[in-house]
Amino acid sequence: MAGLAPRVEYLAGFCCPLGGLAAGKPRVLCHGAEVFLSTGSELVYVYDREGRLLIAVYKFPGQVWHLELLALRRALYVLCARSGIYCLSLDQASRSVSRDDKDDRDDQDSEDGQVDELPVPVIPVHPDTCVLPSATLHAFTVLDDVLITLSQGPTQWKVQLFECPCPGEDPRPGGQIGEVELSTCTPPAGSLGEPTVPRFLPVLCCASPPGSRAPHGHPWGSGGVTLEGALFGLLFGSDASLLESPVILCGLPDGQLCCVVLKTLVTSRSAPGDPKALVKILHHLEEPVIFIGALRTEPLSEDVEDVYCDCLVALGHHGRTLAIKASWDEAGHLVPELREYSLPGPVLCAARGRGGRVYHSTPSDLCVVDLAQEVSPWDLTQRDGAPGGLPSLLCPASLSVCSVVTLSVSSRAPEGGAELLALSAKGRLMTCSLDPHSETPHPTRVTSASAGQKIKELLSGIGTVSERVSSLKKAVDQRDKALTCLNEAMNVSCALLSSREGPRPISCTISTSWSRLQLQDVLTATCLLENSSGFSLDRGWALCVQVLRSSRALDLDSAVSAITYTIPVDQLGPGGQREVTLPLGPGEDGALDLPVTVSCALFYSLREVVGGALAVTDPFKDPSSNECTPDVLPEQDGVCLPLSEHTVDMLQGLRFPGLAAPHTQALGPLSPARDPIHTFLETCCGPVSQPAGPASLRAKYLPPSVATIKVSAELLRAALGDSHAGVSLCSATLQWLLAENAVADIVRAQALSSVQGVAPDGTDVHLVVREVAVTDLCPAGPIQAMEIQVESSSLANMCRAHHAIVRRLQRLVMEQAARGSSPPDLRLQYLHQIQANHETLLREVQTLRDRLCTEDEASSCATAQRLLQVYRQLRSPSLLLL
């Protein structure tokens, strides 16, 4: 084998998906000058090697998983994923190009060898050519007049036998003649209701005894071998030898190597027996079986005509190799010799050749190992001391061809040499010729033709290496860039998480204002993102703003709705700012339910930054290798870092038209947007009476709703400090309440203590702050306090404004309590009396509400009036915030 000199010749190029072809599904077969090829897609190509052109393309309804060529019958059997087995007659298939077209394209195809743009029409395969429809078939082979299939059930593999039709008959199988279940299997997990493409397909091989009808070790199917009688009997038993029955060898994805005697399986159809007795497990490779075949390892004498294989070989995906051979023990008894070897993996595909050679492909190289004996047939001594022994070590020899996903050994080879037909991961069809006479120990004269061929081979090898280096460099650059981005993101995350107190390195400030958009006044929130850190926010960062509102702000049982806006942040360096303005309402119904919570957060997308780097695959590497893929990313696909949260309440949503600055007068009327057609019709019809809606009737006939809150003046002075010096406490308190409203500066400039505002729905809201004295609470005398009064004709708007004031006061009281301030001495008896009065009012509210459900319309009017009076008393308590 040391004298083999590989010579690679590229024939054609076929379309392949991005990232290259995956091993396991592509197939290539050769019969004379015709090459039958499948890349694992729905297409099967027929290529003419002599003419160097594509002559036919067949399209199947699904992915093609396996091809089987019956040369004597001129038939091609095709296994289509989740469809079944199809049979194409090679004699009746019409050629898609004429001989003239062949001559016209001969020069062009011979130069570039590319058929990516199909020069022949695609022939859809007719459904009638499906000879065995089945959605569970994973492998098949044909032996003489029997079609053997392997299907995957919910829990077990099943071998089935069908009568194979003779030439000229109906191509459909005559019927099932036997079946048996193999070991349990675990179907690959997938989405509910969606079939999952298997990662590894099982392997079938038919082993026949010397007395079978298959001549010279070559059954009519392309997946069979003929074994020597000694090895056949040792492996499968005396029953199989006496019956002269072929045996089905099954290599499963879990590593099991099973066998079933064909004639016993057929007999069990009429006289069923124990299925476990029909199946024998020969070995377990503990890794997916990629190849099963047989070799001739010992030389033959010149008078021997029939060549039978004397060694059974099985290869696993990760390189574990099993070889079984008949040998003699020390006592002279015939025993099976079993050896396991470890070859470089992962193994993508394999094929058996002449002279005891096994060719196998890895992502980086195409190798050949030799199990043949290097002794004469009359020499009984051999390497390991026992006649017929296997070598103790296998040394793969490199053929300097990488990324081969499927190959087959051609019969067109010189004596002592070999010719391999291979398909690369890039979709290139090539031949690799191994000529033992190409290298000679004596220097020879180099001719121009041989020099040109040598240059072509060197350039081809350089191109392959250059292509791989370029692909690997691109993958390394992408991963380096992804690691740099991840490091920057880690620094930003640590800076934000470590600064929970004090100024944050990256902050987001939220403010609100009214704007005029599309003939409607809209309350908008402006989010100002500031980067005060020393890091840059590059690709993958986004500002997420969530607007959380309830359909009815005062209904505790209403559903909460949220809208999230995602704004990409690109190239925000240190010291940079990014401003985003979002609408808060009113919505399409013209309503703006306050309060609304606006939350800002930074989101870093791992899938956007890291997913692309993980998805980059080496086309020369095994696609099924257990490497990190984008599926290992977490379900949330990123990291979320909260920045700020802001609640927009009624006090921020109020507008004050009487106090508005000149530049804000451009806003439209302070009422919900109206239809321009209705406005035009009302103008044409002249003045009309006031509308009689519920809001107008309430404003006309019912008194406005009022709520009051009393706060200790001492508490307010301590909380406001010196920031409001020079103005009255009433005006300072009103400024503090409206600090987040645009009118705060006007209130401060005019020293106002009461304002008349307008709610988003157009109703008035009146705020008044006055100074009062609270007696009967402190034994030392009256307590000076500020009374904050909210008045509105809309009960809902009054409640919203009252809730906003209470929320601010709660925060103020919590801050003062943290500073250690203590209230003055109080009269507890007076406080108990106030509490008792409130409990009485609450019980009366419950009684009145129960009565409203049972009374008629006339009696319920008085009850409703009394209920409103009680609510008014509850909204104006005599308690004081200290």
Side-chain angles (χ1 to χ4, degrees):
M1 192 170 60
L4 292 178
R7 182 172 60 88
V8 179
E9 179 183 5
Y10 289 99
L11 299 179
F14 296 87
C15 297
C16 64
L18 185 64
L21 298 177
K25 308 298 189 303
R27 293 289 186 270
V28 59
L29 299 177
C30 181
H31 177 61
E34 292 180 330
V35 177
F36 302 90
L37 181 141
S38 167
T39 61
S41 64
E42 298 87 356
L43 302 179
V44 172
Y45 304 90
V46 183
Y47 182 79
D48 185 5
R49 291 182 57 182
E50 294 180 351
R52 301 181 69 90
L53 80 164
L54 194 65
I55 58 177
V57 180
Y58 299 96
K59 184 175 182 180
F60 290 83
Q63 291 184 346
V64 174
W65 283 356
H66 187 61
L67 301 178
E68 193 91 3
L69 178 63
L70 275 69
L72 298 180
R73 298 186 180 183
R74 296 289 297 168
L76 180 68
Y77 283 79
V78 180
L79 173 59
C80 188
R82 290 180 288 275
S83 296
I85 300 176
Y86 292 75
C87 180
L88 298 180
S89 175
L90 301 182
D91 294 329
Q92 297 177 359
S94 61
R95 295 292 185 256
S96 302
V97 295
S98 64
R99 194 66 186 177
D100 295 336
D101 295 335
K102 170 184 173 182
D103 296 337
D104 294 339
R105 287 194 300 268
D106 189 26
D107 295 336
Q108 179 182 358
D109 291 339
S110 62
E111 292 178 1
D112 53 20
Q114 294 294 322
V115 294
D116 291 336
E117 294 184 2
L118 298 179
V120 297
V122 178
I123 305 174
V125 175
H126 198 275
D128 291 342
T129 60
C130 183
V131 297
L132 184 61
S134 175
T136 60
L137 285 182
H138 282 60
F140 79 96
T141 187
V142 180
L143 180 66
D144 197 4
D145 56 352
V146 178
L147 175 63
I148 307 163
T149 65
L150 182 61
S151 59
Q152 184 181 30
T155 58
Q156 286 185 317
W157 294 99
K158 181 184 292 185
V159 175
Q160 294 176 305
L161 305 182
F162 298 90
E163 293 179 354
C164 193
C166 296
E169 298 179 356
D170 185 3
R172 297 183 181 274
Q176 182 176 338
I177 57 177
E179 71 173 31
V180 68
E181 291 183 346
L182 302 182
S183 61
T184 59
C185 64
T186 304
S191 302
L192 185 61
E194 297 182 0
T196 303
V197 178
R199 184 179 174 186
F200 297 100
L201 292 175
V203 182
L204 289 182
C205 178
C206 289
S208 302
S212 64
R213 286 183 291 172
H216 303 289
H218 298 285
W220 285 314
S222 60
V225 295
T226 301
L227 302 180
E228 279 190 342
L231 178 61
F232 188 88
L234 289 174
L235 287 177
F236 311 122
S238 58
D239 291 343
S241 299
L242 292 175
L243 292 174
E244 295 185 351
S245 169
V247 175
I248 308 165
L249 293 171
C250 306
L252 302 181
D254 63 354
Q256 293 190 60
L257 184 62
C258 308
C259 67
V260 180
V261 179
L262 184 63
K263 289 187 178 181
T264 59
L265 185 57
V266 174
T267 306
S268 67
R269 183 68 176 178
S270 57
D274 185 8
K276 295 182 180 180
L278 302 176
V279 180
K280 179 181 179 182
I281 299 179
L282 295 179
H283 196 72
H284 204 304
L285 289 178
E286 299 180 356
E287 58 188 57
V289 179
I290 298 299
F291 167 79
I292 302 175
L295 309 169
R296 180 69 193 185
T297 61
E298 295 184 4
L300 295 172
S301 57
E302 297 180 357
D303 57 346
V304 177
E305 297 181 359
D306 294 335
V307 179
Y308 299 127
C309 301
D310 60 0
C311 181
L312 182 68
V313 180
L315 269 70
H317 173 66
H318 299 293
R320 180 173 291 182
T321 303
L322 170 70
I324 306 176
K325 189 177 181 182
S327 183
W328 302 95
D329 61 5
E330 296 179 355
H333 299 146
L334 196 62
V335 293
E337 179 185 3
L338 184 148
R339 288 205 179 215
E340 280 195 358
Y341 306 95
S342 181
L343 298 180
V347 178
L348 305 183
C349 59
R352 64 187 182 99
R354 299 175 182 174
R357 299 189 184 108
V358 176
Y359 304 92
H360 67 280
S361 171
T362 66
S364 59
D365 206 351
L366 177 62
C367 303
V368 55
V369 293
D370 194 352
L371 285 84
Q373 298 287 341
E374 298 179 355
V375 294
S376 67
W378 303 277
D379 190 358
L380 298 180
T381 62
Q382 51 94 31
R383 288 167 288 185
D384 293 342
L390 290 167
S392 58
L393 182 66
L394 293 182
C395 298
S398 173
L399 300 182
S400 302
V401 181
C402 59
S403 72
V404 172
V405 295
T406 183
L407 74 152
S408 65
V409 180
S410 173
S411 58
R412 302 168 57 179
E415 183 67 25
E419 184 183 63
L420 305 180
L421 197 63
L423 182 68
S424 70
K426 288 293 186 180
R428 295 176 178 176
L429 180 63
M430 66 186 84
T431 60
C432 181
S433 300
L434 307 177
D435 187 0
H437 306 293
S438 61
E439 290 186 359
T440 60
H442 303 285
T444 58
R445 184 176 181 180
V446 180
T447 63
S448 59
S450 61
Q453 181 63 36
K454 188 66 175 178
I455 292 174
K456 286 183 179 181
E457 294 174 2
L458 292 176
L459 291 178
S460 176
I462 293 173
T464 302
V465 174
S466 175
E467 183 179 358
R468 187 183 183 193
V469 169
S470 176
S471 175
L472 292 177
K473 185 178 182 301
K474 181 179 178 181
V476 170
D477 292 342
Q478 289 192 12
R479 296 189 179 185
D480 286 346
K481 187 175 180 181
L483 287 175
T484 303
C485 294
L486 281 178
N487 184 52
E488 194 81 6
M490 182 65 70
N491 293 333
V492 172
S493 302
C494 293
L496 283 175
L497 296 176
S498 61
S499 60
R500 296 185 179 275
E501 297 181 359
R504 311 192 73 182
I506 301 177
S507 61
C508 187
T509 306
I510 304 171
S511 59
T512 57
S513 62
W514 283 90
S515 303
R516 187 75 175 174
L517 298 175
Q518 298 180 354
L519 302 177
Q520 185 180 17
D521 294 341
V522 178
L523 181 63
T524 60
T526 301
C527 303
L528 180 62
L529 180 64
E530 296 182 272
N531 184 11
S532 304
S533 68
F535 310 108
S536 178
L537 302 181
D538 295 325
R539 183 173 66 96
W541 287 103
L543 176 65
C544 294
V545 182
Q546 185 185 65
V547 179
L548 186 66
R549 60 167 62 90
S550 62
S551 58
R552 301 189 183 278
L554 300 180
D555 186 1
L556 298 179
D557 297 331
S558 62
V560 176
S561 61
I563 301 177
T564 301
Y565 302 90
T566 302
I567 303 96
V569 180
D570 294 328
Q571 302 297 329
L572 185 62
Q577 295 183 347
R578 187 67 46 84
E579 187 176 274
V580 178
T581 301
L582 304 172
L584 298 181
E588 297 179 356
D589 56 353
L592 174 59
D593 294 324
L594 297 175
V596 173
T597 301
V598 181
S599 303
C600 295
L602 275 179
F603 180 78
Y604 186 73
S605 175
L606 292 175
R607 185 167 296 276
E608 178 181 352
V609 177
V610 185
L614 295 180
V616 175
T617 58
D618 182 6
F620 302 94
K621 196 168 186 180
D622 180 18
S624 62
S625 59
N626 295 325
E627 286 202 1
C628 184
T629 64
D631 294 336
V632 304
L633 294 175
E635 294 183 359
Q636 62 270 24
D637 293 342
V639 179
C640 187
L641 301 173
L643 294 178
S644 61
E645 183 175 293
H646 183 77
T647 301
V648 182
D649 52 27
M650 179 59 74
L651 294 183
Q652 300 175 50
L654 289 177
R655 287 179 288 176
F656 302 90
L659 302 178
H663 68 275
T664 63
Q665 295 296 333
L667 293 178
L670 304 178
S671 61
R674 304 182 62 190
D675 189 352
I677 298 178
H678 293 171
T679 304
F680 173 75
L681 293 176
E682 291 177 0
T683 304
C684 296
C685 295
V688 295
S689 59
Q690 294 292 330
S696 300
L697 294 176
R698 176 181 177 84
K700 183 175 182 180
Y701 296 104
L702 294 178
S705 300
V706 180
T708 59
I709 302 175
K710 295 184 180 66
V711 188
S712 169
E714 182 179 357
L715 176 63
L716 289 172
R717 288 191 188 96
L720 299 179
D722 299 333
S723 59
H724 296 280
V727 296
S728 64
L729 188 57
C730 296
S731 178
T733 302
L734 187 60
Q735 294 175 34
W736 172 71
L737 291 175
L738 299 176
E740 296 173 320
N741 196 296
V743 81
D745 295 335
I746 301 176
V747 173
R748 181 182 300 106
Q750 299 182 13
L752 300 176
S753 60
S754 66
V755 288
Q756 182 79 23
V758 179
D761 61 356
T763 58
D764 294 336
V765 177
H766 192 198
L767 297 177
V768 180
V769 181
R770 61 174 66 93
E771 186 174 355
V772 296
V774 179
T775 60
D776 302 331
L777 185 59
C778 181
I783 298 177
Q784 188 180 10
M786 293 291 113
E787 183 183 69
I788 305 173
Q789 178 177 302
V790 183
E791 180 180 329
S792 177
S793 59
S794 171
L795 178 61
N797 288 331
M798 186 276 299
C799 292
R800 293 187 179 101
H802 183 263
H803 178 269
I805 295 173
V806 170
R807 191 172 61 87
R808 285 165 172 76
L809 292 176
Q810 286 177 341
R811 188 166 59 244
L812 182 144
V813 171
M814 296 294 294
E815 292 174 355
Q816 293 304 309
R819 297 178 183 177
S821 59
S822 59
D825 295 333
L826 302 176
R827 292 178 177 174
L828 297 180
Q829 184 64 30
Y830 182 74
L831 293 177
H832 290 164
Q833 183 62 38
I834 294 176
Q835 180 183 3
N837 294 339
H838 275 267
E839 291 178 353
T840 302
L841 291 175
L842 290 174
R843 286 194 295 269
E844 186 177 359
V845 166
Q846 186 62 41
T847 303
L848 293 173
R849 294 182 64 176
D850 294 341
R851 189 185 303 171
L852 282 175
C853 299
T854 58
E855 292 180 342
D856 55 7
E857 184 176 356
S859 303
S860 61
C861 182
T863 303
Q865 291 181 356
R866 175 56 187 165
L867 186 60
L868 289 176
Q869 294 176 3
V870 175
Y871 275 135
R872 190 177 296 113
Q873 296 177 29
L874 288 173
R875 287 194 298 268
S876 301
S878 302
L879 294 175
L880 175 66
L881 288 178
L882 298 174

